[in-house]
Amino acid sequence: MSKKPLFTTKTLVGTGLGAALFIVLTMFVKVPSPIPNTTINITYGVEAFFGVVFGPIAGGLIGLIGHTISDSLMWGTPSWAWVAGSAVVGIVSGLCYYFMDIESGKFSVKDAVILCVLSVLGNAIAWLLVAPAGDMIQYAQPWDYVFAQGLMAFGSNAITTCVLSVLLCFAYSKTRVKKGSLDIE
Amino acid sequence: MKIKLFSYNQLDTLIHQLSGLTKLLCFLIMIFTVILTYDIRVLLFMLAFAIVCFRISKIPFDQVKLIFGYILVFLLFDFVLSFVFAPQYGVEVLGTRHEIFSFGGPFVLTWEELYYLSCKTMKYLCMFPVGFVFFFTTNPSEFASSLNHIGVSAKICTTVALTMRYFPDVSRDYTNISLAQQARGIDMSRKEKLGRRIKNVMALLAPLIFSTMDRVDAIANAMSLRGYGKTKKRTWYSFRALQRNDYLALAVCIVIFVISLSIRLFVTKSYFYNPFIGW
C-alpha cells in the first residue's frame, strides 16, 4: 500500500466533474436491459472508475453530491437512504486507489480482480444494508419490502459496476504514459 | 434535452428574498420534522404548510406538472406493493386490529393498514413541495456559500459549486458525443444484441470520460496557478447576511419542529399515533 495524498486540488476538481458526470449519466443515458421495460444504470461503473483514479473520499463525495442533485432535479427531493447507498459504493470501490497505480499506466488482471471484489462488496453494503435500513428508519417500512427493492438494485448495479469500471480502467491506463517507458539507444 | 439547472429564476417573492442559508436550514429542519414523526395530524399540518410555501414562492405549476405526475404514479405503486408485501404491517406497529374485509389468505384489509399506508404516502407527499421550493428558489452559487456557513468544509463546498457550474458543460459534451456516435451508426437501443450494446455504451463513455479527465487537469492547474487552497478559509461573493425575515422564518420552522417533537415525546409517547384505541 503506497502513501498517497488524500484531497488535493486535482481531487477536488475530479470530484466536482465526476459528480456532474454522475448527474448527466443518471438523467440522460437509458440503456435497455434484457428484462423488458427496465434500464441498466451505468452510473455506478463510472463512479467506481473515478474512485480508482481519485480515491475513496472523491468516490464517496461523487455519489453523495451527484445522487442528491440528480434526485432533486428529477424528483424534487432526494431519497436520502439511496443517496447514502451511492456514497458507500464510491467509498468502498475507491479503496482500490491505495492498491493500484493507474496514473502511471499500470492496470493488471490482478488489479481488475481486486476492483471487482471491492465493487461487489461496496454494492452489497450499499443496497442490501444501508439503503434498506435507511428507508426502514425514515418511513418505518417492513424490512422484506425494502430488502426486495435493495436486492433488485444490487443485482443490476453490481454487474454493471464491475464490467464498466474494469473496461474503463483498462482503457484509461492505456492513455497514461508508463514510468520508464523510454529506452536508451 | 433542454434542461435548466434547478430551473432557478429570480422572482421577487417572500421566499426568494430569504438568504440561502436560511432556506437550507429551514429545509433541513422540515426534513427532520417529517422523518421524526408518524402522526397524521402533524403530517397533515406539514403538508398544508408546504403547499402554502409552494404558493408563496410563485413556482408555476406547469414547471413541476410532469414530475408531480411521476410522483403520483410512484406513490400509487408503492401503496399497492407495500400492502402486497406486508398486509398486516399496520396491525403490527399499531397494536390494534379492525378488519374491513378479506381478499382471501393473509390479505385482510384493516383500518390500521390503510391508516399506516396513508401516513407513509403523506410523508412522501409533504417532502416534495418543500424540496421544490428549496431548489427552485435558491441561487446555485449562494447554495454553496450556505453549505459552508452551516459548517461543511470549504473544499467540499467548492466541489458542489463546481458540479453545478460544469453540469451544463458535461451535458453538452454528452449530447455532442452521443449524436456523433449515432451518426456513425452506434446503437444502444433494444435492436442491438446485449454484448454489442455494452460495447456501444463503451464507445460513448470512453470519449466522454477522457474529455472530462482532460478538463479536470485544465481546471485543477488553473486553480493552483491562482493560488487556490493555500489557506484553510475563504470568503464567498454571493453570501447574503441574515435579515429580520430570515430570523422570522427560522423561528417558525424551529417552533414547528419543537411542537411536533413534543407531541411525539409527551402527548402520544410513541412514534405512531393510533386513533383506533378505544374503538
Side-chain angles (χ1 to χ4, degrees):
Chain A
M1 201 185 271
S2 56
K3 229 181 157 52
K4 285 184 173 181
L6 211 54
F7 207 78
T8 59
T9 305
K10 196 177 170 191
T11 323
L12 185 155
V13 179
T15 311
L17 266 67
L21 205 58
F22 186 106
I23 304 168
V24 169
L25 294 179
T26 319
M27 292 179 66
F28 301 139
V29 184
K30 301 266 181 282
V31 184
S33 77
I35 307 160
N37 291 326
T38 54
T39 53
I40 300 174
N41 191 348
I42 61 173
T43 317
Y44 294 103
V46 176
E47 190 191 351
F49 166 72
F50 272 81
V52 175
V53 179
F54 293 110
I57 297 187
L61 280 175
I62 288 174
L64 186 73
I65 299 171
H67 200 148
T68 308
I69 297 181
S70 65
D71 255 13
S72 312
L73 288 174
M74 288 193 296
W75 297 99
T77 195
S79 44
W80 300 105
W82 294 76
V83 171
S86 286
V88 168
V89 173
I91 293 170
V92 177
S93 45
L95 291 174
C96 291
Y97 177 70
Y98 296 111
F99 298 111
M100 41 195 88
D101 193 12
I102 198 169
E103 277 301 312
S104 25
K106 277 179 268 174
F107 190 75
S108 60
V109 176
K110 197 187 111 209
D111 292 339
V113 173
I114 297 177
L115 174 56
C116 277
V117 170
L118 280 176
S119 41
V120 170
L121 184 72
N123 274 294
I125 300 175
W127 314 125
L128 301 182
L129 197 71
V130 174
D135 253 358
M136 195 174 74
I137 294 165
Q138 193 179 350
Y139 295 107
Q141 309 204 69
W143 175 254
D144 291 349
Y145 178 51
V146 284
F147 189 74
Q149 291 175 351
L151 201 62
M152 287 205 311
F154 170 69
S156 68
N157 287 345
I159 295 170
T160 46
T161 312
C162 280
V163 174
L164 284 176
S165 61
V166 167
L167 286 176
L168 281 171
C169 283
F170 273 121
Y172 181 69
S173 67
K174 280 187 194 125
T175 68
R176 298 276 99 185
V177 180
K178 284 197 178 60
K179 250 185 211 149
S181 61
L182 296 177
D183 289 326
I184 305 170
E185 279 185 4
Chain B
M1 203 163 293
K2 287 242 180 321
I3 176 155
K4 283 179 276 171
L5 185 56
F6 294 162
S7 299
Y8 169 75
N9 39 12
Q10 186 72 49
L11 286 172
D12 199 27
T13 70
L14 212 57
I15 290 181
H16 282 82
Q17 283 161 11
L18 293 177
S19 147
L21 177 60
T22 315
K23 272 179 281 197
L24 181 64
L25 283 173
C26 290
F27 177 62
L28 293 176
I29 296 173
M30 301 279 261
I31 285 178
F32 274 106
T33 315
V34 173
I35 287 178
L36 288 175
T37 188
Y38 231 105
D39 187 324
I40 192 118
R41 298 164 299 182
V42 177
L43 287 173
L44 273 173
F45 173 78
M46 290 300 289
L47 186 60
F49 185 69
I51 291 173
V52 168
C53 290
F54 186 79
R55 296 295 301 176
I56 294 176
S57 68
K58 287 194 184 142
I59 301 167
F61 188 66
D62 280 354
Q63 234 173 27
V64 296
K65 205 164 56 184
L66 193 67
I67 306 179
F68 193 67
Y70 283 131
I71 292 168
L72 284 186
V73 172
F74 163 76
L75 286 179
L76 198 71
F77 219 69
D78 188 68
F79 197 94
V80 174
L81 271 181
S82 298
F83 177 69
V84 172
F85 261 81
Q88 296 308 315
Y89 196 69
V91 174
E92 211 177 291
V93 291
L94 289 174
T96 55
R97 186 185 174 92
H98 298 86
E99 286 180 22
I100 304 174
F101 70 95
S102 172
F103 293 101
F107 297 104
V108 182
L109 187 65
T110 55
W111 282 111
E112 279 81 1
E113 179 71 13
L114 214 55
Y115 170 75
Y116 158 75
L117 289 177
S118 345
C119 278
K120 196 173 85 175
T121 309
M122 199 87 81
K123 247 176 125 147
Y124 278 114
L125 260 184
C126 44
M127 300 286 258
F128 291 114
V130 176
F132 285 143
V133 170
F134 177 65
F135 287 110
F136 278 78
T137 64
T138 307
N139 181 331
S141 303
E142 220 191 324
F143 175 67
S145 82
S146 325
L147 270 182
N148 190 218
H149 279 85
I150 63 165
V152 178
S153 119
K155 284 196 166 177
I156 293 177
C157 298
T158 316
T159 310
V160 174
L162 268 175
T163 304
M164 302 211 267
R165 287 274 168 241
Y166 279 94
F167 167 71
D169 282 33
V170 176
S171 96
R172 196 176 324 123
D173 272 2
Y174 165 74
T175 316
N176 290 341
I177 292 169
S178 161
L179 290 178
Q181 301 294 51
Q182 280 171 37
R184 296 171 60 202
I186 284 177
D187 187 8
M188 291 196 303
S189 70
R190 205 169 283 286
K191 286 177 204 135
E192 286 284 5
K193 286 197 199 78
L194 188 67
R196 183 88 215 157
R197 227 184 280 158
I198 290 171
K199 233 179 144 187
N200 290 350
V201 169
M202 276 304 289
L204 179 99
L205 271 187
L208 183 61
I209 283 172
F210 296 147
S211 69
T212 309
M213 285 304 200
D214 287 345
R215 190 171 274 169
V216 169
D217 274 336
I219 299 169
N221 289 339
M223 281 168 72
S224 304
L225 282 172
R226 285 160 181 74
Y228 178 82
K230 287 285 166 225
T231 48
K232 282 256 177 283
K233 274 187 174 174
R234 58 165 287 186
T235 52
W236 298 88
Y237 176 66
S238 53
F239 182 69
R240 273 190 280 177
L242 299 190
Q243 278 158 357
R244 194 197 50 158
N245 279 353
D246 293 300
Y247 291 110
L248 268 176
L250 277 173
V252 169
C253 286
I254 291 171
V255 165
I256 292 175
F257 178 73
V258 170
I259 290 178
S260 139
L261 201 65
S262 42
I263 287 179
R264 177 177 164 183
L265 290 178
F266 304 117
V267 183
T268 51
K269 293 196 176 73
S270 75
Y271 190 26
F272 294 93
Y273 160 69
N274 188 348
F276 303 109
I277 292 173
W279 254 32

